[in-house]
Amino acid sequence: MKAKIIALDTATSEVEFLKNLLCDLSLLNKPILPISMHCDSQVAISKVTSKNFNEKRRHLKVRHKSIRNLISHGVISLGFVRSKNNIVDPLTKGLMRQQVLESSRGMRLESII
């Protein structure tokens, strides 16, 4: 769960940067809808969406506050995705051949062979 919160914080800060960049370049019309992000850990989602965070580690409290701030200001929206439907799994862990093929189709990758 802690690793998921750290990953969510990193991803949300990248999303915030890219959204601000596109606004500065006048490529997006205002108002901008929240960017939808997905996580495969319901525990991590419930932790970052709750107001109370009981973790004693300061670095996780800072990350929790950062994510909650972006959610409350409408920069991002956070949703759950099941691991079997998560198309980025091949980028993070080893999978069986069938799962790699299914996720490749989900990413719209084609074989060059």
Side-chain angles (χ1 to χ4, degrees), residues 10-74:
T10 305
T12 56
S13 62
E14 290 291 325
V15 163
E16 181 183 29
F17 169 77
L18 291 173
K19 192 171 186 177
N20 290 336
L21 176 68
L22 292 174
C23 286
D24 290 344
L25 296 175
S26 301
L27 294 175
L28 294 177
N29 297 327
K30 294 183 181 178
I32 301 168
L33 296 175
I35 296 174
S36 178
M37 298 186 68
H38 300 282
C39 180
D40 62 355
S41 172
Q42 288 181 331
V43 175
I45 292 172
S46 66
K47 286 278 189 185
V48 297
T49 55
S50 72
K51 292 181 183 177
N52 298 330
F53 191 69
N54 301 349
E55 191 63 43
K56 302 225 187 285
R57 295 183 179 100
R58 180 168 161 65
H59 72 281
L60 287 179
K61 283 184 181 179
V62 170
R63 292 174 188 272
H64 173 264
K65 186 176 180 180
S66 171
I67 297 168
R68 285 229 0 109
N69 191 19
L70 292 176
I71 291 172
S72 65
H73 285 95

Side-chain angles (χ1 to χ4, degrees), residues 37 39 44 48 73 80-81 91 93 98 101:
M37 298 186 68
C39 180
V48 297
H73 285 95
F80 174 71
V81 63
L91 305 175
K93 59 181 114 172
Q98 186 61 30
L101 292 174

Side-chain angles (χ1 to χ4, degrees), residues 72-91:
S72 65
H73 285 95
V75 176
I76 63 166
S77 67
L78 198 55
F80 174 71
V81 63
R82 296 198 179 280
S83 289
K84 69 177 188 174
N85 298 333
N86 193 353
I87 63 171
V88 297
D89 267 353
L91 305 175

